């Protein structure tokens, strides 16, 4: 039987280490929490199971920011916090209050300045056309659905995706800079350390954590297994999962148990739970077929720790599945239909919104319909060398080897097992809109409409496609006080000494994903939690000295 995740302080005979603020997890959220706490005067200790940056380091390194950032101004882009707020209101739903969202938008420029002050570099160069992720040399772009008519009519669009400047996937660059900033601040970071239980006092306040720490040969083997699991996940997920099981066995058998005292509080920043199959099956089973995006540490451990002391979670069913069909640009000028032959949404929307429609409305099944002209243009773009390999590679394989071809819509429907009359009606209506004879039923921009004529091609872009993986991340987490990041109980009371940030917590990005919004939320919520934990520490010191 597993040990309970909560430990009473009376069971601890000695503290092996102590600090003002203890941060569990060292990704973007954990690093920002540590820096903010340190800037407030705290002695900070960061513990991480692996110490390689988690999902943040493997991300695209895009920070969603606006309201007139220096990069927007340099690019000649006009943006205001109000316009940013008006757009995000359409994406965030009930994840956070309007007051919190407004504070996030109004503090966006300060967030960019804070990151820049720690050495993170941004740039104003914009790509010539809409893309899911810009090539090197381009760092400011439309990272959501801002310019789509349905959204633009409510909020003036502006590019707000601030990709960290660097070569390749910028997440590694972002985390490297944050790691260096943490080191300069003199903050202690210990890897190979897994949080096992939270330690509470008699009042139920969290005052520390019991952790397991590996060293020696066991630590070396742990590092090799973790690297193998992450490196092999894409091609051999079964082998990767075997390595993860071996990791857990190592931690259980060889980790030395230590108790760490945190005078101000504990910040949970261990990421989401996409790699916890049991947890995902409980909350969002339809996404078990998706490709898990993240790292071995995305197991929901921080969420479980918070729940063990009475914390309440929310939006746990929310998962973002990404079905990007631009680039190649001309894919988005085709149509995406479900198994009944009906379009599922405006194809020019941001990939996470298209993926959401595919998974939630169409049970994860969808086909992209192109004609020979669009297919040829897309193939040319893929061969141009102007796309990332992860963008051009799957697209070319699907068009060359994975497409079903037919002379017309009725014949294509027969091959796909769809109702012929419905697919023909869908194509006819789309063509009428493309010719200007009618408005597009789903509000697609005129420039993105193209009549589908001659031979048609159907490409299976379903969630479980082997050639075209559909990445997914979890969005829900622990409920927190939106002013401090303190973890809340079901009745809304805060748990003393416990904070959460990033994807461990309910936040700005917990309803609908937009590129850069999760990382921005990690920075936002990490700074909030780290600062609040140190303020709690200072208050306790003041109360102690005030009492004599």
């Amino acid at each position: 039987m597993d040990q309970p995740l909560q430990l009473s302080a009376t069971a601890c005979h000695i503290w092996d280490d102590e600090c003002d603020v203890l941060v569990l997890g060292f990704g973007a959220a954990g690093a920002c929490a540590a820096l903010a706490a340190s800037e407030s005067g705290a002695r900070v200790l960061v513990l991480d199971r692996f110490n390689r940056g988690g999902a943040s380091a493997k991300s695209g390194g895009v920070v969603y920011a606006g309201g007139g950032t220096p990069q927007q101004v340099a690019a000649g882009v006009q943006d205001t916090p109000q316009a940013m707020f008006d757009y995000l209101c359409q994406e965030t739903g009930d994840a956070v209050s309007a007051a919190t969202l407004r504070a996030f938008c109004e503090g966006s420029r300060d967030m960019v300045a804070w990151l820049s002050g720690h050495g993170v570099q941004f740039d104003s160069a914009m790509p010539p056309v809409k893309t899911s992720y810009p090539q090197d040399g381009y760092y400011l772009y439309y990272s959501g659905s801002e310019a789509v008519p349905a959204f633009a009519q409510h909020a003036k669009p502006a590019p707000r995706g601030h990709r960290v400047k660097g070569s390749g996937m910028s997440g590694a660059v972002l985390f490297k800079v944050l790691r260096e900033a943490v080191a300069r601040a003199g903050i202690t970071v210990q890897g190979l350390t897994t949080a096992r239980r939270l330690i509470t006092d008699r009042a139920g306040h969290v005052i520390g954590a019991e952790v397991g720490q590996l060293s020696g040969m066991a630590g070396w083997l742990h590092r090799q297994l973790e690297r193998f699991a992450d490196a092999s996940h894409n091609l051999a997920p079964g082998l990767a999962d075997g390595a993860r099981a071996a990791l857990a066995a190592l931690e259980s058998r060889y980790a030395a148990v230590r108790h760490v005292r945190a005078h101000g509080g504990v910040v949970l920043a261990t990421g989401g739970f996409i790699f916890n199959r049991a947890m995902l099956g409980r909350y969002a089973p339809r996404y078990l077929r998706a490709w898990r995006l993240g790292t071995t540490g995305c197991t929901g451990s921080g969420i479980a720790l918070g729940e063990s002391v009475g914390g309440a979670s929310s939006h746990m069913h929310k998962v973002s599945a990404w079905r990007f069909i631009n680039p190649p640009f001309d894919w988005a000028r085709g149509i995406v239909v479900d198994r009944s032959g009906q379009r599922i949404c405006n194809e020019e929307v941001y990939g996470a919104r298209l993926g959401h429609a595919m998974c939630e409305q169409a049970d994860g099944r969808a086909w992209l319909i192109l004609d020979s002209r669009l297919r040829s243009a897309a193939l040319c773009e893929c061969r141009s060398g102007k796309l990332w390999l992860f963008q051009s590679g799957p697209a070319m394989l699907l068009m060359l080897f994975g497409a079903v071809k037919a002379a017309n819509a009725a014949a294509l429907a027969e091959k796909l097992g769809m109702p012929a009359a419905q697919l023909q009606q869908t194509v006819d209506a789309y063509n009428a809109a493309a010719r200007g004879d009618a408005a597009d039923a789903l509000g697609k921009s005129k420039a993105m409409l193209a009549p589908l004529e001659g031979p048609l091609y159907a490409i299976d872009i379903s969630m479980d496609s082997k050639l075209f993986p559909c990445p997914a991340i979890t969005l829900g987490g622990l409920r927190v006080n939106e002013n401090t990041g303190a973890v809340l109980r079901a009745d809304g009371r805060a748990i003393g000494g416990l904070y959460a940030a990033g994807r461990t917590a309910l936040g700005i990005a917990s309803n609908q994903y937009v590129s850069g919004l999760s990382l921005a939320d990690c920075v936002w919520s990490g700074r909030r939690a780290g600062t609040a934990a140190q303020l709690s520490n200072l208050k306790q010191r003041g109360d102690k000295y005030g009492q004599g």
Side-chain angles (χ1 to χ4, degrees):
M1 183 176 178
D2 292 338
Q3 289 184 320
L5 294 176
Q6 179 183 357
L7 178 66
S8 169
T10 57
C12 295
H13 303 293
I14 188 170
W15 295 104
D16 299 290
D17 205 345
E18 64 176 322
C19 58
D20 294 328
V21 176
L22 175 62
V23 179
L24 301 178
F26 192 39
C32 292
L35 287 168
S38 177
E39 289 166 357
S40 298
R43 293 173 302 150
V44 183
L45 174 61
V46 180
L47 303 179
D48 190 84
R49 188 182 178 195
F50 302 112
N51 194 21
R52 290 209 297 148
S56 299
K58 296 192 73 173
S59 75
V62 179
V63 178
Y64 196 89
T69 66
Q71 294 72 33
Q72 289 179 316
V73 172
V77 171
Q78 294 184 349
D79 193 20
T80 64
Q82 183 64 47
M84 182 180 177
F85 173 81
D86 289 340
Y87 169 67
L88 287 180
C89 276
Q90 302 172 75
E91 299 281 15
T92 59
D94 63 349
V96 297
S97 67
T100 294
L101 182 60
R102 187 173 294 281
F104 171 76
C105 296
E106 291 176 347
S108 185
R109 286 173 295 183
D110 172 70
M111 177 182 67
V112 170
W114 184 82
L115 286 170
S116 298
H118 283 294
V120 180
Q121 294 184 27
F122 299 101
D123 196 270
S124 60
M126 295 177 59
V129 295
K130 170 76 172 171
T131 181
S132 61
Y133 189 74
Q135 282 279 298
D136 284 349
Y138 300 111
Y139 299 100
L140 177 65
Y141 73 116
Y142 284 91
S143 63
S145 297
E146 298 90 349
V148 175
F151 293 88
Q153 66 178 330
H154 300 293
K156 183 180 179 181
R160 301 189 182 101
H162 289 61
R163 178 188 162 201
V164 173
K165 191 173 183 179
S167 298
M169 298 298 284
S170 296
V173 180
L174 171 64
F175 183 70
K176 180 177 182 291
V177 174
L178 290 176
R179 180 195 287 278
E180 291 170 348
V182 166
R184 286 196 303 271
I187 297 168
T188 300
V189 179
Q190 296 177 2
L192 299 175
T193 306
T194 304
R196 294 184 167 186
R197 294 188 279 183
L198 293 176
I199 302 172
T200 59
D201 62 15
R202 292 176 180 174
H205 295 171
V206 175
I207 60 172
E210 178 185 280
V211 303
Q213 192 168 67
L214 290 170
S215 60
M217 182 57 70
W220 177 87
L221 183 56
H222 190 275
R223 283 191 290 269
Q224 307 316 307
L225 286 169
E226 184 250 343
R227 285 181 168 85
F228 175 79
D230 280 348
S232 62
H233 172 70
N234 292 353
L235 297 177
L239 285 176
D241 286 342
R244 294 184 182 105
L247 280 169
L250 267 179
E251 293 164 350
S252 176
R253 183 171 182 179
Y254 295 108
V257 176
R258 300 173 65 241
H259 298 116
V260 182
R261 176 75 163 98
H263 296 284
V266 175
V267 179
L268 302 172
T270 60
F273 60 93
I274 195 66
F275 277 85
N276 188 325
R277 303 291 284 172
M279 206 168 175
L280 189 63
R282 182 162 68 251
Y283 292 112
R286 72 176 62 197
Y287 292 94
L288 287 168
R289 290 180 289 152
W291 182 61
R292 294 167 286 172
L293 183 64
T295 63
T296 297
C298 299
T299 62
S301 59
I303 297 173
L305 285 169
E307 291 177 333
S308 75
V309 293
S313 58
S314 183
H315 289 57
M316 297 292 280
H317 64 293
K318 289 288 187 177
V319 174
S320 181
W322 304 349
R323 181 46 81 217
F324 289 105
I325 59 171
N326 178 12
F329 178 80
D330 284 279
W331 270 24
R333 303 183 74 200
I335 59 174
V336 175
V337 300
D338 60 17
R339 68 180 74 203
S340 72
Q342 298 187 67
R343 289 169 70 196
I344 60 175
C345 76
N346 180 345
E347 294 80 10
E348 69 178 314
V349 298
Y350 174 66
R353 184 165 286 275
L354 177 60
H356 181 269
M358 179 181 74
C359 296
E360 295 291 334
Q361 299 168 207
D363 193 32
R365 302 304 310 277
W367 290 261
L368 171 66
I369 310 297
L370 306 171
D371 65 7
S372 57
R373 182 174 54 85
L374 293 177
R375 176 178 176 271
S376 295
L379 282 170
C380 286
E381 185 180 2
C382 289
R383 292 173 178 142
S384 69
K386 297 180 179 180
L387 303 181
W388 293 99
L389 182 59
F390 70 81
Q391 296 169 333
S392 62
M396 287 190 67
L397 286 173
L398 286 167
M399 286 187 285
L400 294 174
F401 305 108
V404 176
K405 180 181 179 181
N408 51 54
L412 188 64
E414 184 176 352
K415 288 187 175 182
L416 297 175
M418 293 178 185
Q422 179 58 67
L423 184 59
Q424 186 66 62
Q425 180 182 340
T426 298
V427 171
D428 289 345
Y430 184 73
N431 286 347
R435 291 191 298 265
D437 298 335
D440 181 61
L442 297 180
K444 199 168 186 178
S445 300
K446 184 177 181 180
M448 296 302 294
L449 293 166
L452 302 175
E453 300 170 338
L456 299 180
Y457 295 81
I459 297 172
D460 189 344
I461 61 170
S462 299
M463 182 197 301
D464 53 1
S465 170
K466 301 301 182 186
L467 291 177
F468 194 26
C470 182
I473 63 171
T474 59
L475 301 179
L478 295 167
R479 289 179 53 203
V480 295
N481 180 300
E482 294 182 8
N483 294 318
T484 64
V487 176
L488 301 178
R489 303 180 188 276
D491 62 5
R493 292 182 298 122
I495 298 173
L498 187 62
Y499 305 83
R503 295 285 59 78
T504 305
L506 185 68
I508 304 289
S510 292
N511 185 65
Q512 186 71 253
Y513 185 89
V514 171
S515 279
L517 195 57
S518 183
L519 270 184
D521 190 34
C522 285
V523 178
W524 164 265
S525 62
R527 293 175 69 193
R528 176 181 65 187
T531 300
Q534 171 59 359
L535 288 175
S536 173
N537 175 54
L538 294 174
K539 182 179 185 302
Q540 291 182 55
R541 284 185 181 180
D543 289 347
K544 178 180 178 181
Y545 295 142
Q547 291 173 3

